Amino acid sequence: MYDLLLFNIGQLLLPASSSHPLKGEEMKHLHVIEKAALAVKDGRVAWIGQTVKGERLEALSYLDVQGKVISPGLVDPHTHFVFAGSREHELALKQAGVPYLDILASGGGILSTVKSTKNSSEDELLTKSSFHLERMISYGVTTVEGKSGYGLDRETELKQLRVMKKLQEKYPIQMVSTFLGPHAIPPAFKGESDQFLEEMISLLKEIKEQSLAEYVDIFCETGVFTVEQSKRFLEAGKKLGFGMKIHADEIDPLGGTELAVTLGATSADHLVAASEEGIKQLSTSNTVAVLLPGTTFYLGKEHYAKARKMIDGGAAVALATDFNPGSCVTENLQMIMSLAALKLNMSAEEIWNAVTINAAIAIGKEDVAGTLRIGAQADFVIWDIPNYQYLPYHFGVNHANSVFVAGKRFGGLNHEL
Ligand code: IZC
Ligand code: ZN
């Protein structure tokens, strides 16, 4: 006897259950079951199949999905959603043509959010990030990565990481925490980035001991941290058993992509300015290219990451919001799927794989997220769309009818079901 049987599913999307990222051609394949049914028991996926005429599966409750599409819960593998304050005043600066890195260099940008986050109590931070997290879930996300990096000192970095730990206890969704201590150089360490980096390295042991993060990450960019510093920091993290991520080649082509491949990082993120050589190396590795077209859009840039070249060359691509208060202010991963279609020229199949299985692999959650497996936590979304190609096509709105986490309806619009 099942707890819940969803039937009359127009299309049930089942990305490959894979422990290695889908690369190149593999990204073009998306397994779809038409006229499907899905059974849930004890919060887990219990049965998946086609609705056979006359067949009657016994369940405590039934839900007629009315031909809509069901996918696994989406995975957002790169966000900075735990922060205080906001930076709407920077929009006018951007309109006046002040570049993102100049705003940072003059003490604004990330450093402005650092000030607000330092001045915020742990409870205030928890309330505000719960709000952002719930909004992400309402858009269909059931697995989220979140980064620290708005503290740049021991106390505030640990405060951000503790908030994420509390959120993991408060919500049934899957979460991954990343320590991004080297996110900017605080004013007290101006001109002394090596000393600041050492401070951040000295926190790694404590973070590991308290299980406050699974990954380490660094902002490798002009005026922030060099490739050599990034290597030093990531290697220190690796030695202690952290997974590695890197903000690489977002604005200038410093070579962070090549470094990620050399170190065997789980992901290299941004890659808008990645070199030809970096892109070639990605295809020979299992490092996932996490692309963030919402950021390119929000920064008003003309050139987007070369997703076509990456995928056609055989690399693995995932997509994320990069939700943060400066360079991409949206929790809406569906909007990112539309940008991937329109600006990265990715196909619908590639896009769905990039926000499910490849995104899960980019944060080490492939065993529990990114597809629907019998026995796994039942995290899925009922979409108000007639087919899976429709979602990227109709942009900027929320198509999530109902978001199920551990087999229970959590959020979404709940139209007519
Ligand atoms: O707050 O601006 N790029 N880090 C690297 C960010 C953007 C977040 C921010
Ligand atoms: Zn980021």
Side-chain angles (χ1 to χ4, degrees):
M1 174 77 80
Y2 299 118
D3 294 333
L4 171 65
L5 180 72
L6 299 108
F7 67 100
N8 198 9
I9 303 169
Q11 292 183 330
L12 178 62
L13 313 188
L14 292 175
S17 176
S18 175
S19 56
H20 77 275
L22 304 187
K23 295 172 70 173
E25 279 289 312
E26 293 172 332
M27 287 193 70
K28 296 182 170 49
H29 304 292
L30 178 67
H31 184 46
V32 179
I33 306 182
E34 311 229 326
K35 298 193 186 74
L38 168 67
V40 175
K41 188 172 172 60
D42 299 331
R44 302 193 164 265
V45 179
W47 181 85
I48 288 170
Q50 263 180 322
T51 321
V52 180
K53 241 192 175 152
E55 184 178 30
R56 180 107 182 118
L57 288 167
E58 292 291 321
L60 294 176
S61 63
Y62 296 86
L63 186 57
D64 182 349
V65 178
Q66 301 168 17
K68 298 180 195 296
V69 174
I70 290 188
S71 78
L74 304 185
V75 180
D76 193 341
H78 181 139
T79 84
H80 308 246
F81 79 95
V82 179
F83 61 87
S86 57
R87 290 166 24 204
E88 55 276 29
H89 54 283
E90 287 177 9
L91 192 52
L93 292 175
K94 272 172 49 178
Q95 286 170 325
V98 187
Y100 174 81
L101 289 178
D102 287 10
I103 297 176
L104 175 61
S106 61
I110 296 171
L111 294 175
S112 148
T113 303
V114 167
K115 236 180 254 166
S116 320
T117 308
K118 267 192 214 298
N119 292 332
S120 185
S121 75
E122 198 160 321
D123 278 348
E124 285 165 345
L125 214 46
L126 185 67
T127 305
K128 182 167 159 60
S129 15
S130 299
F131 175 81
H132 293 303
L133 186 61
E134 287 186 22
R135 189 177 271 156
M136 286 192 252
I137 299 169
S138 76
Y139 281 96
V141 171
T142 59
T143 301
V144 180
E145 185 258 15
K147 302 175 194 297
S148 70
Y150 292 126
L152 313 182
D153 64 23
R154 178 182 172 278
E155 195 188 326
T156 318
E157 287 293 320
L158 294 183
K159 179 169 75 181
Q160 270 193 282
L161 293 172
R162 276 197 306 271
V163 165
M164 282 191 263
K165 199 165 189 174
K166 285 187 181 164
L167 289 169
Q168 289 193 38
E169 287 156 13
K170 181 171 168 193
Y171 293 93
I173 64 159
Q174 325 258 7
M175 270 184 61
V176 169
S177 297
T178 298
F179 174 55
L180 175 61
H183 188 198
I185 296 149
F189 284 86
K190 208 168 179 170
E192 297 175 344
S193 59
D194 275 330
Q195 283 90 324
F196 176 65
L197 194 67
E198 284 312 311
E199 286 270 319
M200 294 300 104
I201 289 174
S202 75
L203 299 182
L204 290 172
K205 202 159 167 267
E206 187 176 1
I207 292 169
K208 190 75 198 173
E209 279 166 4
Q210 295 183 36
S211 302
L212 283 173
E214 288 91 56
Y215 286 89
V216 288
D217 193 349
I218 183 164
F219 192 11
C220 179
E221 189 57 70
T222 304
V224 197
F225 296 98
T226 64
V227 170
E228 190 275 321
Q229 289 173 321
S230 303
K231 180 169 185 282
R232 206 183 321 151
F233 176 73
L234 294 176
E235 280 180 336
K238 184 181 185 180
K239 224 184 203 167
L240 288 171
F242 289 95
M244 293 174 285
K245 294 180 158 286
I246 180 168
H247 281 64
D249 301 326
E250 176 185 357
I251 295 160
D252 292 325
L254 299 189
T257 309
E258 290 90 327
L259 175 68
V261 173
T262 307
L263 293 177
T266 307
S267 75
D269 303 34
H270 282 294
L271 314 189
V272 178
S275 69
E276 298 278 320
E277 178 54 28
I279 292 174
K280 214 191 279 166
Q281 287 186 17
L282 276 176
S283 65
T284 65
S285 79
N286 275 341
T287 298
V288 181
V290 176
L291 304 185
L292 313 165
T295 308
T296 312
F297 170 77
Y298 199 80
L299 292 178
K301 298 274 172 93
E302 209 176 305
H303 296 290
Y304 285 72
K306 297 188 180 77
R308 273 279 43 99
K309 194 163 238 178
M310 291 176 194
I311 297 174
D312 294 342
V317 166
L319 292 162
T321 56
D322 191 21
F323 172 53
N324 75 73
S327 64
C328 192
V329 194
T330 185
E331 296 95 337
N332 182 356
L333 189 56
Q334 296 172 48
M335 174 72 185
I336 306 306
M337 294 168 76
S338 290
L339 288 173
L342 299 166
K343 299 292 188 181
L344 303 184
N345 218 3
M346 287 171 66
S347 71
E349 294 79 11
E350 290 166 344
I351 291 169
W352 280 101
N353 282 322
V355 293
T356 53
I357 188 64
N358 274 8
I361 289 174
I363 53 173
K365 284 285 183 189
E366 59 272 21
D367 290 341
V368 289
T371 188
L372 291 167
R373 291 179 192 78
I374 305 296
Q377 181 165 308
D379 298 345
F380 58 89
V381 183
I382 304 176
W383 299 101
D384 266 329
I385 54 176
N387 54 65
Y388 69 84
Q389 290 94 342
Y390 188 93
L391 195 144
Y393 150 80
H394 186 157
F395 80 100
V397 298
N398 190 1
H399 296 287
N401 178 300
S402 307
V403 183
F404 282 75
V405 183
K408 290 212 169 63
R409 207 185 285 212
F410 186 92
L413 303 169
N414 294 314
H415 278 332
E416 311 157 21
L417 273 184

